[in-house]
Amino acid sequence: MGGNAHIVVVDDEEMVRETVQEYLLRNGYAVSQAEGGAALRALMAERAVDLVILDVNMPGEDGISIARDLRQRGRLGIIMLTANADSVDRVVGLEVGADDYIPKPFEPRELLARVRAVLRRVAPGEVSAATMGGEVRIGRCVLNLESRSLYAADGSAVPITAMEFDLLEAFARNPNRVLSRDRLLDLAHHKDSDGFDRSIDTRITRLRKKVEVDPTTPQAIKTVRGAGYLFVPAGST
């Protein structure tokens, strides 16, 4: 399983981006696409990135230049892709700080194995220093605690209100712990909001529609009859 790792596929070929994204999504990772360096940097300004799969040969700013810039930003994984059989690209890519290299065309299972290996090396239980950090997987989405944003697995933003974020943050900071309605009000900073208490069940229902794979049988935010609600992180059951 991919855990909370967020991967960005950077390639000027849309088919390559979509193929890699689809495969890694099926294996539990949050995956975004970027067609070049500018799009990648814009995405990194909004949310954490743990690993970049980067094509070497792109028009404009090439993958080598992007990799050099990424390495200066701090600790995150970089896997280079290229259709060039020449070893020069591989050597230069590794010299500027890439963690691994795979030629096109590649076997998806081999790419997955390299992704897992690089993530184990660069972020064994820690958040990448090159990015914002503070991300928690909740159901099919990822909650960024720093930017107060919610993202789908494909990297697209999921609209949430301030109160919805406060509830998700309360769950994220208290995994596998039953939270009563009163406790949720305390943690979400709405203890004095009379209307909030009466509508908390409705708000949980709305959140489930956004984060659960199947809101009718919630697996991430569960109801504990007579006690409250329980956030169950992916892979903990």
Side-chain angles (χ1 to χ4, degrees):
M1 293 298 292
N4 294 331
H6 176 215
I7 300 169
V8 182
V9 184
V10 186
D11 198 302
D12 60 305
E13 297 182 43
E14 183 177 4
M15 183 175 296
V16 173
R17 297 197 308 267
E18 292 184 348
T19 299
V20 174
Q21 181 185 46
E22 180 181 352
Y23 186 78
L24 293 178
L25 282 172
R26 292 203 306 267
N27 283 275
Y29 294 97
V31 188
S32 301
Q33 297 185 30
E35 68 274 12
L40 171 63
R41 294 183 185 95
L43 195 153
M44 291 180 68
E46 296 180 355
R47 62 176 303 195
V49 175
D50 300 289
L51 185 147
V52 176
I53 298 174
L54 181 61
D55 184 37
V56 172
N57 302 304
M58 293 186 291
E61 186 178 16
D62 62 28
I64 299 297
S65 300
I66 297 172
R68 184 181 293 109
D69 177 60
L70 290 176
R71 186 51 67 220
Q72 292 174 351
R73 292 169 176 254
R75 185 180 179 86
L76 81 164
I78 303 173
I79 297 178
M80 306 293 288
L81 301 178
T82 185
N84 192 342
D86 196 331
S87 64
V88 173
D89 282 344
R90 179 177 183 275
V91 172
V92 174
L94 295 175
E95 284 180 347
V96 300
D99 297 283
D100 206 344
Y101 174 102
I102 186 168
K104 296 177 182 178
F106 51 84
E107 168 62 44
R109 287 178 297 179
E110 180 183 359
L111 177 62
L112 176 62
R114 291 175 185 249
V115 164
R116 289 172 171 165
V118 170
L119 285 173
R120 284 196 298 268
R121 291 200 302 267
V122 303
E126 63 188 53
V127 175
S128 169
T131 57
M132 295 165 58
E135 293 201 336
V136 180
R137 186 74 174 263
I138 300 181
R140 60 180 178 175
C141 296
V142 175
L143 182 71
N144 189 300
L145 300 174
E146 298 294 331
S147 65
R148 297 178 63 87
S149 303
L150 185 68
Y151 296 93
D154 63 2
S156 60
V158 178
I160 55 173
T161 66
M163 286 187 178
E164 287 175 336
F165 173 83
D166 289 341
L167 278 174
L168 288 176
E169 182 182 27
F171 284 123
R173 297 191 185 280
N174 295 274
N176 297 311
R177 182 180 301 172
V178 177
L179 300 176
S180 67
R181 289 170 177 79
D182 284 343
R183 183 58 178 153
L184 279 170
L185 291 174
D186 285 335
L187 294 172
H189 313 297
H190 293 283
K191 183 63 176 176
D192 298 327
S193 178
D194 295 335
F196 191 83
D197 184 28
R198 291 191 296 271
S199 66
I200 193 167
D201 294 333
T202 300
R203 294 179 189 278
I204 295 295
T205 298
R206 289 174 181 170
L207 281 176
R208 283 171 170 164
K209 291 179 180 179
K210 296 181 180 182
V211 305
E212 297 283 0
V213 174
D214 181 0
T216 63
T217 56
Q219 300 299 309
I221 302 175
K222 296 188 175 184
T223 300
V224 180
R225 189 177 298 276
Y229 295 96
L230 173 72
F231 166 51
V232 182
S236 65
T237 57

